[in-house]
Amino acid sequence: MLLYIGKRLLRACITLTIIMTIVFILLRQMPLEGYFPNYDKMSRVQIENGLHQMGLDQPMPVQLFRMFKGLVKGDLGTSRVYRNNVPVTEILKPKIPISIKLGSLAILVSLLFGIPMGTMMAKYKGRFFDHVGTGFVVFIQAVPAAVYFLFIQLYGTEALKIKMLFDPKDWKMWVLPVLSMSLGNTAYYAMWLRRYMVDESSKDYVKLAQIKGLSKNKIMFHHIFRNAFVPMVQYLPTSFLNTVIGSIYIESLYSIPGMGGLLVDVIKRQDNTMVQAIVLLFATVGIIGLILGDLAMVALDPRISLNARKGGR
């Protein structure tokens, strides 16, 4: 187990290095406006002096080395446009907890509704509840998310009498964003759990349990559900990244002061250092999610081995 974790962490570091290198090089190809808040009023000499102070006039390998050296020390750089000469870590510090809270609540709601929905769809396969659940899944997957996001905001704010300015202390302000962000994962969990449970229901151990006279509910919930839930567990941590990505639009829509809305803002303002830091955080969340998914799957099913020689992943 420790060997596997060590290998995955090493791969994660290599992946993050490649991602940050690509993002860094691409951002360096962007116009210089992203490094100066008052670029239009600056002379050519002032721009060159500013680039020299930031080290952006040096060769690309030197800039890359300095950037990774700062990352190792926990330095994500300094914002030049969004908040001039303010460290990125200071800007992100109050925003990260808001995004984490929003994403965690959305996943919790998805689990509370998606798993029971998928279970009931499998139990009543081909019947009314299955058709209703399938219709919900098809609707969420077929309709662009922005459409029902706007629909929820339009009618939800009137129904709950919510103000447009987000107040994190008012619980009602969290209802519509959490609901909107949870819909995608709810459909995802329901769809895949139903599929896994339907597949499991045709296996030999289920037929043996039926021959032994076990009740349908006991077979469904104590045997089929347990085995079907194992392969789905590995995707639960990864879905947190999907939720965070979804927050990019949701946070902008509801003016939530989190990382998602911040990313949209800094891209518009061309604050390249801020964009680079937020991309790094999103990539880190995704990679950690993949590792946690594998570990959770092994914890639930001891038969699964992470040792490649034994046929594991």
Side-chain angles (χ1 to χ4, degrees), residues 266-280:
V266 296
I267 289 177
K268 290 180 179 178
R269 299 190 187 188
Q270 297 184 14
D271 193 331
N272 296 341
T273 307
M274 289 290 298
V275 173
Q276 180 178 290
I278 297 176
V279 169
L280 172 63

Side-chain angles (χ1 to χ4, degrees), residues 1-302:
M1 178 68 74
L2 292 178
L3 179 61
Y4 171 81
I5 295 176
K7 290 181 178 179
R8 287 300 297 268
L9 290 177
L10 178 60
R11 294 177 187 174
C13 292
I14 296 174
T15 302
L16 288 175
T17 300
I18 295 174
I19 292 174
M20 292 308 300
T21 300
I22 295 174
V23 171
F24 185 89
I25 294 175
L26 290 177
L27 289 176
R28 291 303 178 272
Q29 310 308 312
M30 299 291 288
L32 297 177
E33 288 90 332
Y35 300 101
F36 303 99
N38 54 347
Y39 180 82
D40 295 335
K41 301 179 181 179
M42 297 176 65
S43 65
R44 186 63 189 174
V45 175
Q46 290 175 322
I47 294 174
E48 291 178 354
N49 289 335
L51 293 175
H52 178 72
Q53 292 176 1
M54 291 182 285
L56 298 180
D57 59 343
Q58 298 178 355
M60 188 66 70
V62 177
Q63 295 183 43
L64 274 171
F65 177 77
R66 190 178 67 252
M67 185 266 292
F68 282 116
K69 183 178 179 181
L71 290 179
V72 171
K73 296 179 179 180
D75 181 10
L76 297 178
T78 303
S79 173
R80 302 293 178 182
V81 180
Y82 181 77
R83 291 175 61 184
N84 191 23
N85 291 327
V86 177
V88 174
T89 52
E90 183 178 330
I91 298 174
L92 295 179
K93 186 176 180 180
K95 297 181 178 295
I96 291 177
I98 296 177
S99 291
I100 291 177
K101 180 179 179 180
L102 183 62
S104 300
L105 289 174
I107 288 183
L108 178 61
V109 172
S110 300
L111 291 172
L112 290 176
F113 288 94
I115 292 179
M117 181 185 296
T119 303
M120 299 306 291
M121 288 170 64
K123 182 178 180 180
Y124 299 105
K125 178 186 174 183
R127 297 164 67 177
F128 176 77
F129 194 93
D130 186 25
H131 293 318
V132 173
T134 302
F136 169 77
V137 172
V138 171
F139 175 82
I140 294 298
Q141 292 187 336
V143 177
V147 174
Y148 54 80
F149 286 167
L150 290 173
F151 182 86
I152 292 173
Q153 185 199 39
L154 178 62
Y155 293 98
T157 50
E158 293 182 1
L160 297 177
K161 297 181 180 180
I162 297 176
K163 300 178 181 179
M164 295 303 296
L165 185 61
F166 184 82
D167 181 8
K169 297 180 181 179
D170 186 357
W171 66 269
K172 291 192 297 184
M173 302 296 294
W174 293 89
V175 174
L176 298 181
V178 169
L179 174 63
S180 300
M181 289 178 59
S182 65
L183 291 177
N185 280 332
T186 299
Y188 178 85
Y189 297 152
M191 177 184 67
W192 284 105
L193 185 58
R194 176 193 182 278
R195 175 181 175 180
Y196 290 139
M197 291 186 68
V198 170
D199 290 342
E200 289 291 327
S201 63
S202 61
K203 293 187 177 180
D204 292 338
Y205 75 89
V206 175
K207 297 178 181 178
L208 179 60
Q210 293 172 344
I211 294 173
K212 290 182 176 180
L214 296 180
S215 65
K216 291 183 179 180
N217 286 335
K218 189 171 184 178
I219 295 174
M220 177 63 68
F221 295 106
H222 290 271
H223 295 279
I224 296 177
F225 175 81
R226 291 177 59 185
N227 289 311
F229 190 70
V230 170
M232 203 184 88
V233 165
Q234 63 178 319
Y235 299 110
L236 297 183
T238 310
S239 63
F240 185 78
L241 176 63
N242 298 330
T243 305
V244 171
I245 293 175
S247 71
I248 294 175
Y249 182 78
I250 294 296
E251 290 183 7
S252 298
L253 189 63
Y254 291 92
S255 300
I256 300 175
M259 286 181 55
L262 177 63
L263 178 59
V264 175
D265 197 3
V266 296
I267 289 177
K268 290 180 179 178
R269 299 190 187 188
Q270 297 184 14
D271 193 331
N272 296 341
T273 307
M274 289 290 298
V275 173
Q276 180 178 290
I278 297 176
V279 169
L280 172 63
L281 293 177
F282 281 178
T284 303
V285 170
I287 292 174
I288 293 176
L290 291 173
I291 297 175
L292 292 178
D294 284 347
L295 297 179
M297 188 170 59
V298 173
L300 285 179
D301 191 346

